[in-house]
Amino acid sequence: MEAIKKGTTIQSLEVGMSVIESIAKQGRPIKFSDIQELTQITKSNLYKYLNTFTQLGILYRNKDTGEYVLGSKLIEYGMAAVDQENVIDRVSPFLHEINVKSSNTVLFSTWTQNGPMIVKDFNNNRGLNIGAQIGTFLPIRSATGKVFMAFMEDQKIREWKAKEFIQISSEEISQLEGECESVRKKEIAFAREPLVSSVSSVSIPVLNYKKQLLGAVTVVGFSEFIPQNENNELSRYLLDLSKEISGSFGYR
């Protein structure tokens, strides 16, 4: 994420948010003494923060036990954020940046019942026909397909996997499953595209705060310009940007 200059933030707000975060991480009602131990804020200051947040509805204090939990106002804010969360709009500036940086086609794909589908593309070089456009379903052996196989919940993709596996050998299935283990760990996938010969792709996942897959960002181009491992300069750039993109959806 973009670095914020020192001295341009309000420290008391940062401290207050650290209190909220400490309570949220516990996932259960928590007493004042426990909050004080977690935050190391002086008792007098902590009382002020907790009283203010309780008054605003950001926290709720149980009158009988004195324990604190997240309040209704935070739930309201969270629901508003979900309703306003337009993944494509939020991801598009990053797609444009990658397109300019790599000079290759950049795709964003989301999940459908028929498999991952391209929903957005950036391509300065329209002369390059990669056999994929908005509405195209991508195969499981593509870099995008590997990302979805690696990060989608298994029950959601079971039928898609069964359908795709019919078209490849048991040896290829075993190799693909091994690759997907690596994709889960490294959060980047590589492939020589099955759609068009001489074309390769590299893909990164877009994850939310629950580590759920929202989609995949994929760079596609002639094989000589597309990396085949994570040590390439473009790969490292994509891995760094992947953290920023997913970070905008709360992933850490």
Side-chain angles (χ1 to χ4, degrees):
M1 294 184 181
E2 184 181 353
I4 297 174
K5 292 181 180 179
K6 192 174 181 180
T8 61
T9 60
I10 300 174
Q11 188 175 7
S12 60
L13 282 178
E14 294 176 353
V15 174
M17 288 309 299
S18 72
V19 174
I20 299 297
E21 189 169 351
S22 296
I23 295 172
K25 283 182 177 179
Q26 300 309 302
R28 58 176 175 79
I30 183 170
K31 295 179 179 179
F32 177 90
S33 57
D34 294 326
I35 300 170
Q36 205 273 325
E37 184 177 347
L38 287 168
T39 61
Q40 295 298 303
I41 299 172
T42 61
K43 290 183 178 180
S44 59
N45 282 339
L46 183 58
Y47 271 120
K48 293 176 184 177
Y49 280 113
L50 295 178
N51 288 342
T52 302
F53 286 138
T54 301
Q55 183 178 343
L56 293 173
I58 292 173
L59 292 178
Y60 172 78
R61 181 178 181 272
N62 187 305
K63 293 180 181 178
D64 295 327
T65 65
E67 294 174 321
Y68 292 87
V69 294
L70 298 182
S72 58
K73 184 60 69 174
L74 273 185
I75 297 171
E76 182 183 328
Y77 291 156
M79 292 303 295
V82 171
D83 289 340
Q84 293 172 11
E85 179 179 274
N86 187 319
V87 177
I88 297 175
D89 283 351
R90 196 177 297 189
V91 168
S92 288
F94 294 104
L95 302 183
H96 176 69
E97 179 183 330
I98 296 168
N99 179 232
V100 172
K101 169 77 173 179
S102 69
S103 299
N104 286 297
T105 298
V106 183
L107 311 172
F108 182 66
S109 306
T110 58
W111 178 252
T112 74
Q113 291 303 312
N114 295 316
M117 184 180 78
I118 299 170
V119 294
K120 187 76 175 179
D121 73 332
F122 279 82
N123 183 8
N124 287 337
N125 183 9
R126 292 293 171 184
L128 172 62
N129 179 12
I130 61 170
Q133 56 189 357
I134 293 175
T136 299
F137 293 102
L138 296 170
I140 201 165
R141 287 187 295 163
S142 65
T144 304
K146 291 173 185 177
V147 167
F148 278 88
M149 182 176 169
F151 288 97
M152 281 292 291
E153 296 176 24
D154 191 57
Q155 64 267 25
K156 291 186 178 181
I157 65 170
R158 190 175 290 121
E159 290 184 14
W160 173 65
K161 283 173 63 177
K163 181 181 176 183
E164 292 284 318
F165 282 176
I166 291 174
Q167 304 175 50
I168 59 179
S169 68
S170 57
E171 183 179 341
E172 288 172 318
I173 292 172
S174 178
Q175 180 181 347
L176 184 59
E177 289 175 336
E179 282 188 65
C180 286
E181 283 296 321
S182 175
V183 173
R184 269 188 287 272
K185 292 177 183 177
K186 298 178 180 179
E187 298 189 359
I188 191 168
F190 307 91
R192 177 66 65 93
E193 280 299 322
L195 292 174
V196 180
S197 60
S198 78
V199 170
S200 293
S201 61
V202 53
S203 187
I204 52 175
V206 177
L207 304 165
N208 67 9
Y209 67 101
K210 291 183 178 179
K211 205 175 181 179
Q212 295 170 330
L213 186 67
L214 300 177
V217 174
T218 306
V219 182
V220 186
F222 291 120
S223 297
E224 59 189 293
F225 301 116
I226 301 298
Q228 291 298 312
N229 61 65
E230 64 275 13
N231 297 320
N232 181 276
E233 181 184 351
L234 178 58
S235 297
R236 293 193 294 270
Y237 163 75
L238 290 173
L239 283 167
D240 288 340
L241 202 61
S242 175
K243 295 176 183 177
E244 186 173 351
I245 298 171
S246 293
S248 73
F249 294 100
Y251 175 67
R252 294 186 176 184

